[in-house]
């Protein structure tokens, strides 16, 4: 058995997005004195999914009762509002409308009402006249208002997690890309691109867009691949057209919510996103192509099964990506006044969507364990909303794994990783 001094840290987290930092934060609060290191390949936190989303604090209404997404989003939304208020982070609880614009959507809208009530959410059904009370320029046959939905600055939340971890004695290393993982009976040794080796009792993989690659580096078969989908946004040149958050009725066959309108914490209104295949894990535009990553995506059988099963949906998304006119028409279903001139390009994001070998899009958060490791393998939206309860759950599993190496929660001592 290795001595405590032989380890550089007790828990090593790969990934400095909101889930990885929330996990480190939860460890420092659950077991003060536990030595935690976070390795992030970028030169700052929240550079990918966390910092490139629409900033919505989701209510949890869309997710299957009993699922991790449902439980953690409902709980996490309330906790996120409290966390932002406690730390002075920009946020607002605005509520949102989910609007049916066609009769075929009405049964799905009614099902959402029932689901919202199952979750204990404040849900109100609206007719056309009531829709205009909340959103004068939005048109629809019917809608529901979910009062607990809000917005916040998730990048600032991640930054606060990082500050709390550092303040508790943890270490966050930026510019530290992991290139090799060696799992031993005593724990794991991880090498970064600059040749540094970090030895830990437990490894936590929160690498987001690269989580499946990190799992394979650790010697584990994750049974899935990340297939990246780019979400393209526009900014509304006339933000006064929208007061709050307006969504279409989602298609339950897909994990995407469709083109929606989001008034952010800064007062600007984002419109989008699309959901088009990205040609790189960090492919924030069509010109960004990484042949090795693209080949890895295309070699996965599930990719082709998705394409065969959902080619019509995918073709529509690509059309809206390449044609501003088509995108505008999609927006006009909810907001008839909008014109192409009202839409200004905004930064895109990439969703790290886990896909199984049979082509199933993983619908729930996916956390798997192996010796000395905990892998977070599917944590797209609403993971930012749910980051506090996700972090606690991953921390709980990691600390249980640490016990297998002889670690015990520190009583009074404190320290930090090197």
């Amino acid at each position: 058995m290795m001595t405590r001094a032989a380890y550089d840290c007790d828990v090593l987290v790969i990934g400095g997005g909101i889930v990885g930092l929330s996990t480190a934060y939860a460890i420092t609060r659950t077991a003060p004195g536990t030595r935690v290191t976070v390795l992030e390949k970028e030169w700052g936190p929240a550079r990918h999914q966390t910092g490139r989303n629409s900033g919505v604090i989701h209510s949890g209404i869309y997710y299957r009762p009993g699922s991790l997404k449902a439980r953690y989003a409902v709980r996490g939304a309330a906790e996120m509002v409290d966390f932002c208020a406690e730390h002075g982070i920009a946020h607002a609880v605005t509520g949102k409308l989910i609007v049916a614009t066609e009769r075929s959507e009405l049964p799905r809208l009614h099902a959402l009402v029932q689901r919202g009530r199952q979750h204990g959410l404040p849900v109100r059904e609206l007719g056309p006249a009531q829709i205009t009370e909340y959103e004068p320029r939005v048109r629809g046959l019917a809608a529901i208002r979910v009062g607990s939905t809000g917005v916040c600055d998730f990048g600032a939340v991640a930054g606060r997690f990082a500050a709390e971890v550092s303040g508790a004695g943890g270490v966050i290393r930026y510019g530290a890309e992991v290139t090799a993982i060696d799992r031993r009976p005593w724990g794991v040794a991880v090498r970064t691109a600059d040749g540094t080796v970090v030895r830990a009792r437990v490894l936590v993989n929160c690498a987001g867009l690269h989580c499946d690659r990190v799992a394979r580096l650790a010697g584990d078969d994750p049974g899935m691949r990340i297939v990246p989908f780019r979400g393209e946004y526009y900014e509304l040149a006339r933000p006064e057209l929208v007061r709050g958050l307006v969504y279409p009725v989602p298609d339950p066959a897909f994990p995407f919510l469709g083109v929606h309108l989001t008034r952010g914490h800064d007062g600007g209104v984002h419109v989008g996103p699309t959901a088009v295949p990205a040609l790189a894990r960090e492919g924030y535009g069509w010109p960004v192509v990484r042949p090795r990553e693209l080949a890895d995506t295309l070699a996965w059988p599930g990719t082709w099964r998705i394409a065969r099963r959902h080619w019509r949906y995918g073709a529509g998304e690509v059309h809206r990506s390449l044609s501003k006119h088509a995108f505008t028409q999609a927006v006009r279903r909810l907001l008839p006044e909008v014109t192409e001139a009202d839409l200004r390009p905004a930064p895109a994001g990439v969703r790290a969507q886990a896909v199984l070998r049979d082509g199933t899009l993983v619908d729930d958060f996916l956390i798997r364990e192996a010796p000395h490791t905990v892998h977070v393998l599917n944590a797209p939206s609403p993971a930012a909303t749910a980051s506090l309860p996700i972090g606690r759950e991953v921390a709980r599993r990691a600390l249980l794994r640490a016990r297998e190496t002889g670690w015990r929660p520190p009583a009074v001592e404190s320290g930090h990783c090197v």
Side-chain angles (χ1 to χ4, degrees):
M1 185 75 67
M2 286 179 62
T3 65
R4 183 176 190 271
Y7 292 101
D8 297 302
C9 58
D10 300 314
V11 181
L12 177 63
V13 179
I14 298 177
I18 199 167
V19 173
L21 291 169
S22 176
T23 297
Y25 171 68
I27 290 170
T28 63
R29 290 172 66 85
T30 302
T34 303
R35 300 179 303 162
V36 182
T37 287
V38 178
L39 300 180
E40 166 56 46
K41 72 180 181 66
E42 305 295 350
W43 291 99
R47 296 295 173 88
H48 294 290
Q49 291 186 105
T50 303
R52 289 176 168 268
N53 61 41
S54 56
V56 174
I57 302 175
H58 289 284
S59 66
I61 192 170
Y62 301 113
Y63 313 119
R64 177 175 48 82
S67 66
L68 292 179
K69 277 189 177 181
R71 291 190 286 122
Y72 289 175
V74 172
R75 187 185 315 157
E79 292 182 10
M80 184 58 64
V81 170
D82 291 344
F83 185 88
C84 289
E86 178 183 353
H87 294 283
I89 295 170
H91 71 288
V93 179
T94 59
K96 77 171 177 183
L97 300 187
I98 304 173
V99 181
T101 58
E102 298 178 2
R103 287 196 169 276
S104 62
E105 296 172 338
L106 293 176
R108 299 206 305 268
L109 187 70
H110 182 68
L112 283 176
V113 172
Q114 302 307 313
R115 180 164 286 187
R117 289 172 178 162
Q118 281 181 284
H119 293 330
L121 299 174
V123 179
R124 181 188 175 198
E125 298 181 75
L126 308 176
Q130 294 165 308
I131 292 173
T132 59
E133 290 177 15
Y134 288 101
E135 293 286 353
R137 292 177 170 87
V138 170
R139 296 292 179 267
L141 300 177
I144 58 177
R145 184 173 188 273
V146 188
S148 55
T149 306
V151 292
C152 76
D153 184 348
F154 284 124
V157 172
R160 185 71 248 169
F161 287 158
E164 294 289 320
V165 170
S166 297
V171 167
I172 302 174
R173 289 184 49 203
Y174 297 115
E177 182 174 3
V178 171
T179 57
I181 300 172
D182 186 11
R183 188 159 50 198
R184 301 290 184 88
W186 47 262
V188 293
V190 171
R191 186 172 69 243
T192 60
D194 66 0
T196 302
V197 174
V198 183
R199 294 159 297 178
R201 297 177 185 274
V202 177
L203 170 69
V204 176
N205 169 15
C206 294
L209 287 159
H210 303 277
C211 64
D212 56 336
R213 181 180 66 84
V214 170
R216 296 198 300 272
L217 281 178
D220 295 322
D221 177 6
M224 44 65 74
R225 288 290 186 277
I226 291 298
V227 175
F229 287 88
R230 183 171 61 257
E232 297 162 336
Y233 290 91
Y234 286 91
E235 186 179 8
L236 201 58
R238 292 189 289 161
E240 66 273 12
L241 293 179
V242 178
R243 290 179 174 178
L245 311 180
V246 183
Y247 282 66
V249 180
D251 186 334
F254 303 99
F256 313 112
L257 297 179
V259 172
H260 47 270
L261 303 124
T262 306
R263 177 174 285 275
H265 62 86
D266 59 358
V269 175
H270 276 76
V271 186
T274 57
V276 298
L279 306 181
R281 300 282 179 118
E282 297 165 18
Y284 297 113
W286 284 110
V288 182
V289 181
R290 292 184 179 165
R292 184 174 297 179
E293 293 179 0
L294 179 57
D296 187 50
T297 297
L298 295 177
W300 183 242
T303 301
W304 296 101
R305 288 173 177 145
I306 292 174
R308 285 195 295 270
R309 198 173 301 158
H310 302 306
W311 68 270
R312 289 184 185 275
Y313 180 91
E317 291 293 298
V318 170
H319 181 48
R320 283 184 283 276
S321 169
L322 297 176
S323 167
K324 189 177 183 182
H325 175 74
F327 187 96
T328 305
Q329 291 302 110
V331 180
R332 292 189 63 178
R333 291 181 57 200
L334 295 169
L335 189 66
E337 286 184 43
V338 78
T339 67
E340 290 186 43
D342 290 324
L343 302 178
R344 300 186 296 215
V350 176
R351 178 189 180 98
Q353 177 62 52
V355 177
L356 302 182
R357 183 175 290 274
D358 66 0
T360 300
L361 298 166
V362 178
D363 184 52
D364 206 358
F365 298 139
L366 181 61
I367 305 169
R368 288 184 175 162
E369 297 180 53
H372 307 304
T373 57
V374 180
H375 299 293
V376 180
L377 297 174
N378 194 59
S381 179
T385 297
S387 55
L388 284 161
I390 292 175
R392 287 196 301 273
E393 173 61 17
V394 177
R396 181 187 70 82
R397 297 189 189 204
L399 294 174
L400 286 174
R401 289 281 170 183
R403 285 179 175 272
E404 296 172 359
T405 69
W407 173 86
R408 292 294 179 268
V412 180
E413 63 180 328
S414 64
H416 59 81
C417 309
V418 296

